[in-house]
Amino acid sequence: NAGVTQTPKFRILKIGQSMTLQCTQDMNHNYMYWYRQDPGMGLKLIYYSVGAGITDKGEVPNGYNVSRSTTEDFPLRLELAAPSQTSVYFCASSKLAGGYEQYFGPGTRLTVT
Amino acid sequence: AQSVTQPDIHITVSEGASLELRCNYSYGATPYLFWYVQSPGQGLQLLLKYFSGDTLVQGIKGFEAEFKRSQSSFNLRKPSVHWSDAAEYFCAAGGDTGRRALTFGSGTRLQVQP
């Protein structure tokens, strides 16, 4: 049981480039989330999904897109990278029943120059 | 608006000393409350959680937290800090039954002196 896995761990992008951050969970969780973490700012919700085929915006969705074709995978797409998207990105998941606790992946550190 | 405040950005304690990290929340109703720990370069690990019932909750690694409704607080405590506790600690709250998203505080960085 690997939990939540994210790839890549690190990435440097040039302004205007695109990339997809991968996230996979093997806990059969319905809910999945993408957060970004900026220094001194805590975590901000980018997008979330309550199940396969259902996604919705969080607090800071501009410049990002997501899809959820399976229960396991929740990729995050950056179409035109900007320096403001330099951050650490975390994927998380939580189960349908029971509490709200979320389980986090190890993160992707992205630098846009 | 829902918010979580961690007033202390950085705390330094000596190894073996007691620790208290503060967390205040602002929510319409009693939220679900969590403490997470993040070691450098790592993801967030759940330390403990409060949903209802006993207001003193025990977590992993010897941590505990007390929910005080009257003060809208959920402070994290440990009686004796170990050098390996040096990390960043995040308080989080949830209560939106739709998306189940958590609102995070800005974190408290703990440094442990030998």
Side-chain angles (χ1 to χ4, degrees), chain B residues 23-25 68-73 75:
Chain B
C23 173
N24 293 95
Y25 65 88
K68 292 185 177 180
R69 186 190 306 274
S70 61
Q71 298 177 19
S72 297
S73 69
N75 294 350

Side-chain angles (χ1 to χ4, degrees), chain B residues 24-76:
Chain B
N24 293 95
Y25 65 88
S26 175
Y27 257 72
T30 299
Y32 298 153
L33 296 163
F34 306 87
W35 275 100
Y36 284 87
V37 60
Q38 183 182 31
S39 298
Q42 303 296 314
L44 278 71
Q45 181 184 19
L46 180 67
L47 280 177
L48 48 78
K49 60 189 179 188
Y50 172 79
F51 291 160
S52 64
D54 194 345
T55 56
L56 185 64
V57 294
Q58 303 297 320
I60 62 172
K61 306 186 180 189
F63 285 92
E64 66 178 26
E66 186 171 13
F67 169 64
K68 292 185 177 180
R69 186 190 306 274
S70 61
Q71 298 177 19
S72 297
S73 69
F74 188 56
N75 294 350
L76 181 71

Side-chain angles (χ1 to χ4, degrees), chain A residues 9-27:
Chain A
K9 284 188 166 46
F10 304 95
R11 184 72 185 268
I12 298 175
L13 282 183
K14 295 190 185 306
I15 294 172
Q17 287 185 321
S18 300
M19 78 164 294
T20 299
L21 282 66
Q22 301 292 345
C23 174
T24 300
Q25 55 92 8
D26 63 0
M27 298 175 282

Side-chain angles (χ1 to χ4, degrees), chain A residues 78-97:
Chain A
L78 283 72
E79 289 295 349
L80 292 171
S84 60
Q85 294 177 304
T86 294
S87 189
V88 181
Y89 292 84
F90 288 101
C91 180
S93 70
S94 66
K95 53 188 177 182
L96 176 63

Side-chain angles (χ1 to χ4, degrees), chain A residues 31 33 35 37 40-43 45 48 50 57-59 90 94-107, chain B residues 9 32 34 36 38 41-46 49 51 88 90 94-107:
Chain A
Y31 292 83
Y33 311 85
Y35 294 91
Q37 183 184 31
M41 299 294 289
L43 279 74
L45 183 66
Y48 69 98
V50 302
K57 297 177 180 178
E59 301 171 74
F90 288 101
S94 66
K95 53 188 177 182
L96 176 63
Y100 282 43
E101 62 265 37
Q102 296 181 11
Y103 299 85
F104 284 80
Chain B
I9 296 172
Y32 298 153
F34 306 87
Y36 284 87
Q38 183 182 31
Q42 303 296 314
L44 278 71
Q45 181 184 19
L46 180 67
K49 60 189 179 188
F51 291 160
E88 186 141 24
F90 292 93
D96 181 337
T97 56
R99 62 185 184 180
R100 297 193 172 194
L102 297 182
T103 300
F104 284 84
S106 54

